[in-house]
Amino acid sequence: LVYRTGAYAPNGVPFANGYVDYLKLVNAKGGINGVKVIWEECETGYATDKGVECYERLKGKNGGATVFQPLSTGITFALTEKAPVDKIPLITSGYGRSESADGMVFKWNFPLVGTYWVAADILTQHVGKKEGGLDKLKGKKIALVYHDSPYGKEPIPLLEERSKMHGFELELLPVTHPGVEQKATWLKIRQSRPDYVFLWGWGVMNSTALKEAVATGYPREKMYGVWWSGAEPDVKDVGAGAKGYNALAMQHGAEPNSKIAQDILKMVHDKGQGTGPRDEVGQVLYMRGLSAAMLAVEGVRRAQERFGKGKVMTGEQARWGYENLALDQKTLDALGFAGVMRPVSTSCADHMGAAWARIHTWDGAKWNFTSDWLQADMQIINPMVKQAADKYAGEKKLTRRPASDCQS
């Protein structure tokens, strides 16, 4: 489910192009054990109601959908109840409901490689380290400038938990869709002078926030974006003004030199099959789309190992594949993802499979990694996930899956 139009198109387009280019590459190499991939896009403009319409229109096509990627937390919330009925898995890599990492309640949701609780946790740990230890956050102030939507609200419970633990003050500053009007927000920041600003924006909201930071003189070095606020479209209009701005990299950053980017140039773009402009290949959001497509494909390949190589997988069979992903570094390297991604291993209980990220920083012209690999503290996150998943199950009258269900 894409958005090539509307306020979020500058960020939606490179993701969609990377996604489709990867599927074209898979088909150019002969498909998934000989099975060619069919895909269809439906334009949502990032609107939840349109996303649901798209889903309903596409789910039964070509013998039934194998997997959906909603590319919106709002749409994910709306589809979470529909997917189990239709038996179609949802991949929400790096977005969606944080508690859906609990596969014992959310059988059909796969927030692979990271949730917003992971993101918020890693950012808090990182600024704690900068201060000389998490205990040094006591008395500090962190402002969350967030998109006033299910997406922007996702990190709040984790940040509140960390604020209780470490004694920092959390200032919540919602920004109305699409995020072009932030004067009042940055006036508040100018008055309250937080020690750090975490930015949970999307589309035009990100570049607007950076421009306002420049205008109010808030240091970009003290700003940290989530992995949807750290790509080329977010900074290119601000240029040198955004220098020093940091954001999470959802494992990968801009990866134009990676083997996978080179393969796509050779086997897709050089053949005149490229979906978007050639110079976009390897950009941050292009790589995000490409990685999301790789996860979709590898889950189907894993399912074929159990249900038949060279066969078309149903949504139910693919779901088993996503729940039993075992992408080790050797496999990822062979796929062209060396240096781009770390291993992903899912299970019945863990639908996320990895909790690592890095920080990259804009130097005025390009993104550079400025941290080692950082891991979220699952001792804090797991109990929150279980509690929120149990609450959801209670509200929806669902029972946790028995262990026997893990084999199906």
Side-chain angles (χ1 to χ4, degrees):
L1 305 178
V2 300
Y3 30 96
R4 293 179 177 277
T5 64
Y8 304 95
N11 298 58
V13 168
F15 182 102
N17 290 346
Y19 193 90
V20 174
D21 272 358
Y22 188 81
L23 297 180
K24 287 176 178 173
L25 177 71
V26 169
N27 282 348
K29 288 180 171 178
I32 310 172
N33 292 317
V35 178
K36 292 291 180 92
V37 181
I38 304 172
W39 64 89
E40 192 165 339
E41 288 185 357
C42 187
E43 176 63 44
T44 69
Y46 197 66
T48 298
D49 55 347
K50 278 216 184 89
V52 174
E53 273 170 40
C54 279
Y55 169 85
E56 294 293 352
R57 195 157 73 237
L58 295 184
K59 69 182 184 187
K61 281 194 164 180
N62 299 306
T66 305
V67 61
F68 270 92
Q69 303 218 25
L71 198 47
S72 147
T73 295
I75 298 172
T76 302
F77 271 63
L79 296 183
T80 293
E81 285 177 70
K82 291 178 175 289
V85 179
D86 298 319
K87 297 189 169 14
I88 303 169
L90 304 173
I91 292 179
T92 68
S93 183
Y95 61 97
R97 308 182 76 107
S98 295
E99 68 271 30
S100 68
D102 185 342
M104 302 308 274
V105 171
F106 295 92
K107 184 174 177 175
W108 298 88
N109 291 54
F110 292 89
L112 298 170
V113 195
T115 64
Y116 293 131
W117 291 355
V118 164
D121 192 74
I122 288 174
L123 282 182
T124 309
Q125 284 189 54
H126 183 72
V127 298
K129 207 185 286 175
K130 276 228 169 312
E131 292 290 338
L134 284 164
D135 56 324
K136 303 285 193 294
L137 287 176
K138 192 173 172 58
K140 301 278 185 209
K141 186 186 288 184
I142 297 176
L144 176 69
V145 175
Y146 66 97
H147 191 273
D148 196 4
S149 67
Y151 154 55
K153 292 170 188 166
E154 267 292 304
I156 295 173
L158 186 287
L159 291 171
E160 286 176 338
E161 181 65 25
R162 279 281 192 184
S163 128
K164 280 208 290 273
M165 287 170 66
H166 309 303
F168 64 82
E169 184 191 338
L170 179 63
E171 185 177 12
L172 299 176
L173 298 170
V175 172
T176 311
H177 152 87
V180 283
E181 189 35 72
Q182 294 183 41
K183 289 265 183 276
T185 305
W186 288 88
L187 188 63
K188 278 187 191 142
I189 287 171
R190 196 155 115 190
Q191 286 159 352
S192 69
R193 298 309 290 173
D195 296 281
Y196 296 98
V197 168
F198 290 175
L199 178 63
W200 238 260
W202 188 222
V204 71
M205 175 177 161
N206 292 329
S207 52
T208 304
L210 283 163
K211 286 171 186 165
E212 291 294 346
V214 172
T216 52
Y218 189 82
R220 266 67 74 207
E221 299 76 27
K222 298 281 191 181
M223 291 175 69
Y224 287 85
V226 66
W227 45 58
W228 301 107
S229 302
E232 292 81 5
D234 306 321
V235 288
K236 68 177 198 304
D237 294 345
V238 196
K243 191 176 169 186
Y245 169 65
N246 314 282
L248 275 177
M250 202 181 104
Q251 300 213 1
H252 67 84
E255 308 285 355
N257 301 318
S258 60
K259 185 174 183 299
I260 187 63
Q262 297 306 311
D263 285 355
I264 281 178
L265 288 173
K266 279 199 283 286
M267 296 182 72
V268 180
H269 280 258
D270 287 354
K271 303 271 194 302
Q273 300 292 309
T275 311
R278 192 185 173 92
D279 63 2
E280 180 184 78
V281 176
Q283 286 187 2
V284 175
L285 288 169
Y286 179 95
M287 293 302 294
R288 190 77 44 82
L290 178 151
S291 303
M294 180 273 285
L295 293 166
V297 167
E298 290 309 308
V300 170
R301 195 189 309 277
R302 179 80 176 99
Q304 284 184 346
E305 288 172 21
R306 179 175 178 185
F307 300 107
K309 275 191 177 172
K311 290 188 173 162
V312 174
M313 292 293 106
T314 64
E316 277 186 275
Q317 290 169 329
R319 194 209 68 77
W320 182 89
Y322 298 128
E323 188 164 277
N324 291 276
L325 275 178
L327 292 171
D328 59 15
Q329 201 59 54
K330 196 172 146 214
T331 307
L332 289 167
D333 292 358
L335 289 168
F337 286 79
V340 177
M341 279 185 76
R342 290 176 73 108
V344 183
S345 169
T346 54
S347 67
C348 209
D350 175 16
H351 278 198
M352 182 166 71
W356 295 86
R358 290 182 275 185
I359 305 277
H360 58 179
T361 303
W362 181 249
D363 70 5
K366 64 184 189 309
W367 291 101
N368 303 298
F369 285 116
T370 50
S371 82
D372 291 332
W373 287 96
L374 307 165
Q375 189 176 21
D377 186 342
M378 298 315 288
Q379 286 182 306
I380 293 170
I381 294 175
N382 284 338
M384 288 179 63
V385 165
K386 185 175 185 303
Q387 192 185 1
D390 284 343
K391 181 170 179 268
Y392 177 87
E395 285 167 3
K396 304 295 176 192
K397 314 260 187 295
L398 302 171
T399 49
R400 283 189 163 268
R401 294 163 64 191
S404 57
D405 190 57
C406 291
Q407 304 319 310
S408 62

